[in-house]
Amino acid sequence: KKLYMKAEENPEDINDLQRLADSISEKLEEKEWAKKLYIKAESQAEDCGDFTSLAGSIHKNLGDKEWTKKLYLKAESKAEQINDFSDLADSIHDNLEDKEWATKLYKITETKCEAEEFSDLAVKIHGRLSDKEWAIKLFKITESKLEGGENDPGETLADSFRYFGDNISEILGDKKWAEKVYKKSEENATYKNELEYLAGSVLDHLEDEKWANLIEQKAEELEDDE
């Protein structure tokens, strides 16, 4: 308790305050002390992420749904980027179980999606809202974007197709669609590791050992990636 009191004297930022409040609530079970720190943290909150994270902590450790909702409303008023809306929707769905509000935010998220972000959103829509039709629509948009050469700048097109195929298999269980996407990955692969990872996906998701071996053989013909 003395160490917590000392830590309270010089918190560096809102994250320090929130972590301290979380720990005091969980370890000491001193809810009033934690509440005082959460109030102080709220006064320092600036962006959507601050309010969303704080709302999650207060819901978990204090169980105050009214305060949690107020913080989510503040978070929504600050939301600007795609991750703001997406993460806020996740948190509202998980903590308040408010599907209507979460759906509204996911729809805004969709308007801000680019390339593979549609696929990431589809995974959330299918998992949290159990809306298969909407998820399929988003997956089809992803496929169209990838076929047009639009993908995450941090990934190769082959890897993007493979990752997308994995999602199709895992989320929808659609092996035929996944197979079509994996073929696109193979067509665009130029590096050894792209083919090695693809062989693993084909084996894991399609259980097609013959095709996986052929891809492995093709990978062996290439030099190691620089």
Side-chain angles (χ1 to χ4, degrees):
K1 188 171 182 178
K2 288 180 181 178
L3 289 171
Y4 281 131
M5 291 175 70
K6 190 170 183 179
E8 185 182 3
E9 293 174 4
N10 296 299
E12 291 187 5
D13 53 28
I14 182 176
N15 294 321
D16 270 2
L17 277 170
Q18 186 178 328
R19 283 193 293 266
L20 182 59
D22 291 347
S23 191
I24 287 171
S25 175
E26 294 167 7
K27 304 296 184 183
L28 300 184
E29 298 185 357
E30 293 206 18
K31 304 299 181 183
E32 287 303 315
W33 187 3
K35 182 177 180 180
K36 183 182 77 169
L37 292 169
Y38 285 135
I39 290 172
K40 191 172 181 180
E42 182 180 358
S43 70
Q44 295 183 17
E46 297 179 351
D47 57 29
C48 178
D50 289 341
F51 286 110
T52 300
S53 179
L54 187 57
S57 284
I58 287 170
H59 180 271
K60 177 184 178 182
N61 294 311
L62 301 184
D64 190 329
K65 285 194 173 184
E66 185 176 339
W67 191 4
T68 299
K69 185 174 181 179
K70 287 179 180 178
L71 290 169
Y72 281 140
L73 286 168
K74 288 183 179 181
E76 184 176 9
S77 71
K78 298 284 187 179
E80 297 177 351
Q81 307 299 321
I82 181 172
N83 288 339
D84 290 340
F85 290 101
S86 179
D87 293 346
L88 179 57
D90 292 348
S91 195
I92 286 172
H93 176 275
D94 295 348
N95 293 326
L96 298 186
E97 298 181 356
D98 190 329
K99 285 194 173 185
E100 185 176 346
W101 193 358
T103 297
K104 169 192 161 188
L105 293 167
Y106 283 134
K107 285 181 178 178
I108 297 174
T109 302
E110 182 180 353
T111 66
K112 296 178 177 293
C113 283
E114 295 180 6
E116 293 169 79
E117 290 171 341
F118 286 101
S119 181
D120 295 334
L121 179 58
V123 173
K124 294 187 176 191
I125 296 300
H126 189 276
R128 285 186 166 86
L129 303 183
S130 299
D131 192 329
K132 186 174 181 179
E133 185 177 344
W134 188 3
I136 290 174
K137 172 198 164 191
L138 293 170
F139 279 136
K140 286 182 176 178
I141 293 174
T142 304
E143 184 174 37
S144 176
K145 295 287 185 181
L146 291 177
E147 288 176 346
E150 295 181 46
N151 68 310
D152 187 330
E155 295 180 349
T156 65
L157 193 55
D159 281 341
S160 293
F161 271 116
R162 176 182 55 79
Y163 175 69
F164 176 52
D166 291 348
N167 276 341
I168 292 295
S169 175
E170 292 171 6
I171 305 304
L172 300 181
D174 192 328
K175 305 300 181 184
K176 287 187 177 180
W177 191 357
E179 180 181 353
K180 173 188 171 187
V181 174
Y182 287 144
K183 286 180 179 177
K184 289 285 185 180
S185 176
E186 184 176 5
E187 289 170 8
N188 285 277
T190 56
Y191 298 108
K192 184 175 183 177
N193 70 341
E194 292 173 331
L195 291 168
E196 288 176 337
Y197 285 128
L198 177 59
S201 287
V202 167
L203 189 59
D204 292 342
H205 294 279
L206 303 184
E207 298 180 350
D208 190 332
E209 189 173 348
K210 182 179 179 180
W211 186 15
N213 287 335
L214 289 173
I215 295 172
E216 285 280 9
Q217 289 174 18
K218 188 184 290 187
E220 289 298 323
E221 296 172 3
L222 298 177
E223 294 182 3
D224 291 333
D225 310 328
E226 295 182 0

